[in-house]
Amino acid sequence: MGALCSAFLTSAANAQLNVFACEPEYAALAQEIAPEAKIYSATSAMQDPHLVQARPSLIAKMRQADLVVCAGADLEIGWLPMLQMKASNNKVRSTDNGLFYAAEHIDTLDKLEHVDRSMGDVHAKGNPHLHFDPRRMLQVANALSEKMAALDPEGAAGYQAKLTDFTDRWQQAIPKWEEQAAGLKGKKVIAYHSSFRYLFNWLGIEQVADLEPKPGIPPSSSHLAKLVNRSQEGDVMAILVTSYQDERGANWLGERTDLPVLILPMSVGGNSDSTDLFSLYDSVITMLTEVQ
């Protein structure tokens, strides 16, 4: 009897999905839909998701994965293919099987018909930092639940139930966030990269300048001097950087313009308040409204 119970428990454990998330926001989303799954995030909110080393530990985790969940839109193009090759896990090589790109399930912003090296670190498939649009994230959640159900049909009802619960709580949170952020509409900011493009689009914030002269190019002295001139127009609310970006250019500009510099969490774990997707949104909107 004991051996039978042991075998049953082992079988149940093996039935759990093993999820490899490229970024912590997708680990958090997977956790909402499949709380019993084994979920591993390849990066933290303190890491630039464009730049990841194909470490042996990541290779080992991908080798064990049933499902790989990534932002897509070529955000991980510099490191994911190498991991896939070294892991030799055919289950997660194709989106026909266990590979999932969030960007393929929404309409991305800023698609480009033509890209060349002179343009810097841009993405032809659109801006991949889509997790700061709650409406698009709900579309991703629905698609991810379907993917999980396809990979684990026996767990389909459970994934659907968790998706329904997440959807209810998420849809209740959206109008509260929008009401809290209503005063941000029309505000202007200087930010680093296009990291918060979806957040700004959702809340009606205008990014009037970028700390990068070109995407992926660190701020230069001449570029920062131009931003000082732009700031003197008096309509900029704040300078924004993410939790993993170099703050030196932002601090230099802030000191010369008396503008506040906000370090916003880019993802779950980006600050002590951001422990899941809901608190990530809470934290970012609260930080922004405190300086408007």
Side-chain angles (χ1 to χ4, degrees), residues 85-151:
M85 182 185 72
K86 292 191 174 183
S88 298
N89 180 353
N90 289 331
K91 291 190 293 184
V92 295
R93 294 294 294 269
S94 167
T95 53
D96 292 336
N97 297 311
L99 180 61
F100 179 92
Y101 288 129
E104 293 186 356
H105 301 279
I106 61 113
D107 182 22
T108 57
L109 298 175
D110 305 331
K111 291 188 181 75
L112 298 169
E113 292 184 3
H114 170 73
V115 170
D116 62 53
R117 295 179 66 86
S118 69
M119 300 167 69
D121 183 18
V122 294
H123 302 272
K125 297 179 182 179
N127 189 307
H129 307 291
L130 59 97
H131 63 285
F132 272 117
D133 184 329
R135 302 155 300 186
R136 285 177 165 89
M137 279 298 277
L138 200 52
Q139 292 177 266
V140 173
N142 276 275
L144 182 57
S145 175
E146 291 178 5
K147 172 66 79 171
M148 289 177 167
L151 296 175

Side-chain angles (χ1 to χ4, degrees), residues 28-292:
L29 184 60
Q31 183 70 38
E32 293 282 355
I33 300 171
E36 302 302 319
K38 298 177 183 178
I39 301 170
Y40 175 80
S41 179
T43 60
S44 78
M46 303 302 180
Q47 291 176 272
D48 186 340
H50 299 84
L51 306 172
V52 177
Q53 298 295 320
R55 304 187 306 273
S57 59
L58 294 186
I59 296 168
K61 290 293 185 180
M62 182 165 282
R63 189 170 290 140
Q64 300 165 2
D66 303 304
L67 172 63
V68 170
V69 183
C70 301
D74 289 341
L75 176 63
E76 304 90 0
I77 193 67
W79 56 275
L80 183 60
M82 179 65 71
L83 273 184
Q84 291 172 310
M85 182 185 72
K86 292 191 174 183
S88 298
N89 180 353
N90 289 331
K91 291 190 293 184
V92 295
R93 294 294 294 269
S94 167
T95 53
D96 292 336
N97 297 311
L99 180 61
F100 179 92
Y101 288 129
E104 293 186 356
H105 301 279
I106 61 113
D107 182 22
T108 57
L109 298 175
D110 305 331
K111 291 188 181 75
L112 298 169
E113 292 184 3
H114 170 73
V115 170
D116 62 53
R117 295 179 66 86
S118 69
M119 300 167 69
D121 183 18
V122 294
H123 302 272
K125 297 179 182 179
N127 189 307
H129 307 291
L130 59 97
H131 63 285
F132 272 117
D133 184 329
R135 302 155 300 186
R136 285 177 165 89
M137 279 298 277
L138 200 52
Q139 292 177 266
V140 173
N142 276 275
L144 182 57
S145 175
E146 291 178 5
K147 172 66 79 171
M148 289 177 167
L151 296 175
D152 175 25
E154 292 184 2
Y159 301 135
Q160 182 60 49
K162 289 299 182 181
L163 173 66
T164 299
D165 176 65
F166 171 76
T167 299
D168 289 345
R169 291 182 290 119
W170 198 248
Q171 289 181 328
Q172 290 173 27
I174 290 174
K176 294 178 182 177
W177 288 324
E178 291 177 340
E179 181 180 2
Q180 182 184 358
L184 295 170
K185 189 172 184 178
K187 297 293 184 179
K188 298 179 179 180
V189 298
I190 294 173
Y192 200 128
H193 198 63
S194 53
S195 304
F196 296 105
R197 174 74 171 92
Y198 289 88
L199 178 74
F200 298 160
N201 182 68
W202 170 42
L203 299 179
I205 298 171
E206 182 182 355
Q207 182 175 341
V208 297
D210 196 322
L211 284 159
E212 296 178 314
K214 289 183 180 180
I217 307 300
S220 62
S221 298
S222 60
H223 181 67
L224 289 172
K226 292 178 183 177
L227 297 184
V228 170
N229 292 334
R230 176 62 185 85
S231 302
Q232 289 172 344
E233 295 182 25
D235 58 350
V236 176
M237 178 183 77
I239 302 164
L240 309 181
V241 296
T242 73
S243 45
Y244 63 76
Q245 287 164 343
D246 192 333
E247 304 159 27
R248 289 175 295 180
N251 290 334
W252 184 95
L253 183 60
E255 289 169 2
R256 285 156 180 80
T257 59
D258 290 326
L259 288 172
V261 176
L262 293 186
I263 304 171
L264 299 179
M266 186 59 191
S267 188
V268 176
N271 62 12
S272 59
D273 295 327
S274 304
T275 57
D276 59 14
L277 288 171
F278 291 88
S279 56
L280 173 64
Y281 275 63
D282 289 339
S283 180
V284 167
I285 292 174
T286 296
M287 292 176 72
L288 287 170
T289 54
E290 286 176 349
V291 298
Q292 65 172 304

